[in-house]
Short mmCIF file of all heavy atoms in Angstrom, two decimals:
data_model
loop_
_atom_site.label_atom_id
_atom_site.label_comp_id
_atom_site.label_asym_id
_atom_site.label_seq_id
_atom_site.Cartn_x
_atom_site.Cartn_y
_atom_site.Cartn_z
N ALA A 186 102.33 166.46 67.19
CA ALA A 186 101.76 165.79 66.03
C ALA A 186 102.41 164.45 65.76
O ALA A 186 101.79 163.54 65.22
CB ALA A 186 101.90 166.70 64.80
N SER A 187 103.68 164.31 66.15
CA SER A 187 104.40 163.05 65.88
C SER A 187 104.25 162.03 66.98
O SER A 187 104.75 160.91 66.85
CB SER A 187 105.89 163.35 65.67
OG SER A 187 106.45 163.89 66.86
N GLN A 188 103.60 162.37 68.08
CA GLN A 188 103.47 161.43 69.20
C GLN A 188 102.70 160.16 68.83
O GLN A 188 103.11 159.07 69.19
CB GLN A 188 102.79 162.12 70.39
CG GLN A 188 103.69 163.02 71.20
CD GLN A 188 104.79 162.24 71.88
OE1 GLN A 188 104.61 161.11 72.28
NE2 GLN A 188 105.96 162.86 71.97
N PRO A 189 101.56 160.25 68.12
CA PRO A 189 100.80 159.02 67.86
C PRO A 189 101.58 157.99 67.05
O PRO A 189 101.41 156.80 67.23
CB PRO A 189 99.56 159.53 67.10
CG PRO A 189 99.45 160.97 67.46
CD PRO A 189 100.85 161.44 67.64
N ASP A 190 102.38 158.45 66.12
CA ASP A 190 103.10 157.53 65.24
C ASP A 190 104.60 157.75 65.40
O ASP A 190 105.20 158.58 64.73
CB ASP A 190 102.69 157.75 63.79
CG ASP A 190 103.25 156.65 62.88
OD1 ASP A 190 103.86 155.71 63.42
OD2 ASP A 190 103.06 156.75 61.66
N LYS A 191 105.20 157.00 66.32
CA LYS A 191 106.63 157.19 66.60
C LYS A 191 107.48 156.71 65.44
O LYS A 191 108.56 157.22 65.20
CB LYS A 191 107.02 156.44 67.87
CG LYS A 191 106.31 156.95 69.11
CD LYS A 191 106.77 156.19 70.33
CE LYS A 191 106.07 156.68 71.59
NZ LYS A 191 106.48 155.94 72.78
N ALA A 192 106.97 155.75 64.71
CA ALA A 192 107.78 155.19 63.63
C ALA A 192 107.94 156.16 62.48
O ALA A 192 108.95 156.16 61.78
CB ALA A 192 107.17 153.89 63.13
N SER A 193 106.90 157.02 62.25
CA SER A 193 106.96 157.96 61.14
C SER A 193 107.42 159.34 61.56
O SER A 193 107.10 160.33 60.93
CB SER A 193 105.58 158.06 60.48
OG SER A 193 104.62 158.55 61.41
N ARG A 194 108.14 159.43 62.67
CA ARG A 194 108.62 160.72 63.15
C ARG A 194 109.59 161.30 62.15
O ARG A 194 110.51 160.61 61.69
CB ARG A 194 109.30 160.54 64.52
CG ARG A 194 109.76 161.84 65.15
CD ARG A 194 110.36 161.60 66.51
NE ARG A 194 109.34 161.24 67.47
CZ ARG A 194 109.21 160.03 67.99
NH1 ARG A 194 110.03 159.07 67.62
NH2 ARG A 194 108.27 159.78 68.86
N PRO A 195 109.42 162.57 61.75
CA PRO A 195 110.31 163.16 60.73
C PRO A 195 111.74 163.24 61.22
O PRO A 195 112.01 163.22 62.42
CB PRO A 195 109.71 164.55 60.49
CG PRO A 195 108.94 164.85 61.72
CD PRO A 195 108.41 163.54 62.22
N SER A 196 112.64 163.37 60.24
CA SER A 196 114.06 163.39 60.59
C SER A 196 114.45 164.64 61.34
O SER A 196 115.44 164.65 62.07
CB SER A 196 114.91 163.27 59.30
OG SER A 196 114.59 164.34 58.42
N ASP A 197 113.66 165.77 61.14
CA ASP A 197 113.99 167.01 61.83
C ASP A 197 113.21 167.16 63.13
O ASP A 197 113.03 168.27 63.62
CB ASP A 197 113.72 168.21 60.92
CG ASP A 197 112.25 168.28 60.49
OD1 ASP A 197 111.54 167.27 60.69
OD2 ASP A 197 111.82 169.33 59.97
N SER A 198 112.71 166.04 63.65
CA SER A 198 111.91 166.11 64.88
C SER A 198 112.75 166.51 66.07
O SER A 198 112.22 166.89 67.11
CB SER A 198 111.24 164.76 65.15
OG SER A 198 112.23 163.76 65.29
N ASN A 199 114.06 166.41 65.95
CA ASN A 199 114.95 166.79 67.05
C ASN A 199 115.55 168.16 66.82
O ASN A 199 116.66 168.46 67.29
CB ASN A 199 116.06 165.75 67.20
CG ASN A 199 115.53 164.42 67.69
OD1 ASN A 199 114.53 164.37 68.39
ND2 ASN A 199 116.21 163.35 67.32
N ALA A 200 114.83 169.03 66.08
CA ALA A 200 115.34 170.38 65.81
C ALA A 200 115.48 171.15 67.11
O ALA A 200 114.70 170.98 68.06
CB ALA A 200 114.39 171.11 64.86
N LEU A 201 116.48 172.03 67.15
CA LEU A 201 116.76 172.84 68.33
C LEU A 201 116.48 174.30 68.02
O LEU A 201 116.64 174.75 66.88
CB LEU A 201 118.22 172.66 68.76
CG LEU A 201 118.64 171.24 69.15
CD1 LEU A 201 120.13 171.22 69.43
CD2 LEU A 201 117.85 170.75 70.36
N PRO A 202 116.08 175.09 69.00
CA PRO A 202 115.83 176.52 68.78
C PRO A 202 117.13 177.25 68.48
O PRO A 202 118.23 176.82 68.87
CB PRO A 202 115.21 176.98 70.09
CG PRO A 202 115.67 176.00 71.10
CD PRO A 202 115.78 174.69 70.39
N SER A 203 117.01 178.39 67.82
CA SER A 203 118.18 179.17 67.44
C SER A 203 118.83 179.84 68.64
O SER A 203 120.02 180.14 68.62
CB SER A 203 117.80 180.25 66.41
OG SER A 203 117.22 179.64 65.27
N PHE A 204 118.02 180.14 69.67
CA PHE A 204 118.53 180.81 70.87
C PHE A 204 118.35 179.90 72.06
O PHE A 204 117.44 179.07 72.11
CB PHE A 204 117.78 182.14 71.10
CG PHE A 204 117.83 183.08 69.93
CD1 PHE A 204 116.76 183.20 69.06
CD2 PHE A 204 118.97 183.82 69.69
CE1 PHE A 204 116.80 184.06 67.98
CE2 PHE A 204 119.02 184.70 68.60
CZ PHE A 204 117.94 184.81 67.74
N ASP A 205 119.24 180.11 73.01
CA ASP A 205 119.15 179.33 74.26
C ASP A 205 118.01 179.90 75.10
O ASP A 205 118.06 181.07 75.52
CB ASP A 205 120.47 179.43 75.02
CG ASP A 205 120.42 178.66 76.32
OD1 ASP A 205 119.59 177.74 76.43
OD2 ASP A 205 121.20 179.00 77.23
N PRO A 206 116.96 179.14 75.37
CA PRO A 206 115.83 179.65 76.16
C PRO A 206 116.25 180.17 77.52
O PRO A 206 115.73 181.18 77.99
CB PRO A 206 114.91 178.44 76.26
CG PRO A 206 115.24 177.60 75.08
CD PRO A 206 116.69 177.77 74.88
N GLU A 207 117.15 179.50 78.15
CA GLU A 207 117.58 179.93 79.49
C GLU A 207 118.22 181.32 79.41
O GLU A 207 117.96 182.19 80.26
CB GLU A 207 118.57 178.92 80.06
CG GLU A 207 117.99 177.56 80.38
CD GLU A 207 117.12 177.60 81.62
OE1 GLU A 207 117.18 178.64 82.35
OE2 GLU A 207 116.38 176.63 81.87
N THR A 208 119.05 181.53 78.39
CA THR A 208 119.71 182.83 78.25
C THR A 208 118.71 183.93 77.95
O THR A 208 118.77 185.04 78.53
CB THR A 208 120.76 182.76 77.13
OG1 THR A 208 121.69 181.71 77.41
CG2 THR A 208 121.52 184.07 77.00
N VAL A 209 117.76 183.65 77.06
CA VAL A 209 116.75 184.66 76.71
C VAL A 209 115.88 184.97 77.92
O VAL A 209 115.57 186.14 78.20
CB VAL A 209 115.90 184.16 75.53
CG1 VAL A 209 114.77 185.16 75.22
CG2 VAL A 209 116.78 183.98 74.28
N LEU A 210 115.48 183.96 78.65
CA LEU A 210 114.68 184.19 79.86
C LEU A 210 115.45 185.00 80.88
O LEU A 210 114.90 185.90 81.52
CB LEU A 210 114.25 182.85 80.46
CG LEU A 210 113.07 182.15 79.77
CD1 LEU A 210 112.90 180.75 80.33
CD2 LEU A 210 111.78 182.95 79.98
N GLN A 211 116.71 184.69 81.04
CA GLN A 211 117.52 185.44 82.01
C GLN A 211 117.63 186.90 81.58
O GLN A 211 117.52 187.81 82.41
CB GLN A 211 118.91 184.80 82.11
CG GLN A 211 119.80 185.48 83.14
CD GLN A 211 121.16 184.81 83.24
OE1 GLN A 211 121.41 183.83 82.55
NE2 GLN A 211 122.01 185.34 84.09
N THR A 212 117.83 187.12 80.26
CA THR A 212 117.89 188.51 79.76
C THR A 212 116.57 189.24 80.02
O THR A 212 116.55 190.40 80.47
CB THR A 212 118.20 188.51 78.26
OG1 THR A 212 119.44 187.83 78.03
CG2 THR A 212 118.30 189.92 77.72
N GLY A 213 115.46 188.58 79.75
CA GLY A 213 114.16 189.20 79.99
C GLY A 213 113.92 189.51 81.44
O GLY A 213 113.41 190.59 81.79
N HIS A 214 114.28 188.60 82.33
CA HIS A 214 114.10 188.83 83.77
C HIS A 214 114.97 189.99 84.24
O HIS A 214 114.53 190.81 85.07
CB HIS A 214 114.41 187.55 84.55
CG HIS A 214 113.34 186.51 84.46
ND1 HIS A 214 112.07 186.71 84.91
CD2 HIS A 214 113.38 185.25 83.95
CE1 HIS A 214 111.34 185.62 84.70
NE2 HIS A 214 112.12 184.71 84.11
N GLU A 215 116.19 190.02 83.75
CA GLU A 215 117.06 191.14 84.14
C GLU A 215 116.49 192.47 83.63
O GLU A 215 116.51 193.49 84.35
CB GLU A 215 118.46 190.91 83.58
CG GLU A 215 119.20 189.74 84.23
CD GLU A 215 120.53 189.48 83.59
OE1 GLU A 215 120.83 190.15 82.56
OE2 GLU A 215 121.29 188.62 84.09
N LEU A 216 116.01 192.47 82.38
CA LEU A 216 115.41 193.70 81.82
C LEU A 216 114.17 194.11 82.61
O LEU A 216 114.00 195.29 82.96
CB LEU A 216 115.06 193.47 80.35
CG LEU A 216 114.36 194.62 79.63
CD1 LEU A 216 115.24 195.88 79.65
CD2 LEU A 216 114.01 194.23 78.20
#
Side-chain angles (χ1 to χ4, degrees):
S187 63
Q188 281 295 326
D190 189 4
K191 297 181 180 179
S193 61
R194 184 177 288 110
S196 59
D197 60 346
S198 60
N199 292 332
L201 299 175
S203 302
F204 304 101
D205 179 23
E207 293 286 348
T208 303
V209 176
L210 281 171
Q211 183 179 359
T212 302
H214 285 298
E215 292 176 354
L216 177 60

